[in-house]
Amino acid sequence: EYTKSWSSESGRCVILGDAAHAMAPFLGQGANQALQDSYTLAKSIAKINRDASIRPEGLDSLQSQTKRIKQEIDRYEAKRKFRTTLIGAKAGILGYLETLTGKSSGMKFRDTLFSTLGKLGVVDAVFKDGATPKV
């Protein structure tokens, strides 16, 4: 669910990938989004470490370290949450359309829709959008 946090209150325990946002398989985005989560989270951790090496006196207490970690984890979550929710919704819609049945109604509608969207370039845009890293 979009409103649930991906981290513990302290920020020292963080989830990513399918643990944070399970993906329907129809766009093949589960592993892709998990890798983008990992990269974004690693950048946040590196920033904490870099800041600590520049200003070690600013991160001397456990309280200040915890606060700094939580700030970066919140940034990671804010950066990734909307993106993964959007891709998950696209995968869900595509899955629904791909699995329509009924020779005269569902399948015909699906095939006509996909053919039309393909000609308009919408299909390429959806697939390319999901495949382009946004980290």
Side-chain angles (χ1 to χ4, degrees):
E1 184 177 306
Y2 185 77
T3 58
K4 290 186 179 176
S5 178
W6 293 356
S7 65
S8 63
E9 193 172 312
S10 68
R12 292 181 180 267
C13 180
V14 182
I15 58 174
L16 52 83
D18 278 352
H21 48 75
M23 292 282 162
F26 299 99
L27 285 174
Q29 288 296 307
N32 185 11
Q33 295 308 306
L35 288 169
Q36 290 184 52
D37 288 352
S38 300
Y39 179 80
T40 303
L41 184 57
K43 282 176 56 177
S44 294
I45 293 168
K47 184 171 179 11
I48 293 167
N49 292 335
R50 189 173 49 252
D51 290 351
S53 67
I54 294 169
R55 300 178 277 118
E57 69 284 349
L59 295 175
D60 55 358
S61 74
L62 181 58
Q63 283 181 327
S64 62
Q65 288 176 7
T66 300
K67 182 179 177 185
R68 183 72 179 103
I69 289 167
K70 185 61 176 160
Q71 288 171 341
E72 283 302 317
I73 298 308
D74 288 347
R75 281 190 190 103
Y76 145 75
E77 188 174 327
K79 187 170 191 175
R80 296 293 303 145
K81 206 173 238 190
F82 178 76
R83 177 85 180 133
T84 56
T85 300
L86 184 61
I87 289 175
K90 289 177 185 178
I93 291 167
L94 182 62
Y96 173 77
L97 291 171
E98 283 185 0
T99 57
L100 283 174
T101 58
K103 287 190 178 200
S104 63
S105 58
M107 292 170 61
K108 187 173 183 176
F109 170 77
R110 177 199 61 216
D111 294 346
T112 302
L113 178 67
F114 284 168
S115 176
T116 303
L117 294 177
K119 290 174 185 170
L120 294 173
V122 173
V123 173
D124 282 345
V126 168
F127 281 105
K128 286 177 185 173
D129 179 55
T132 304
K134 303 262 196 308
V135 292

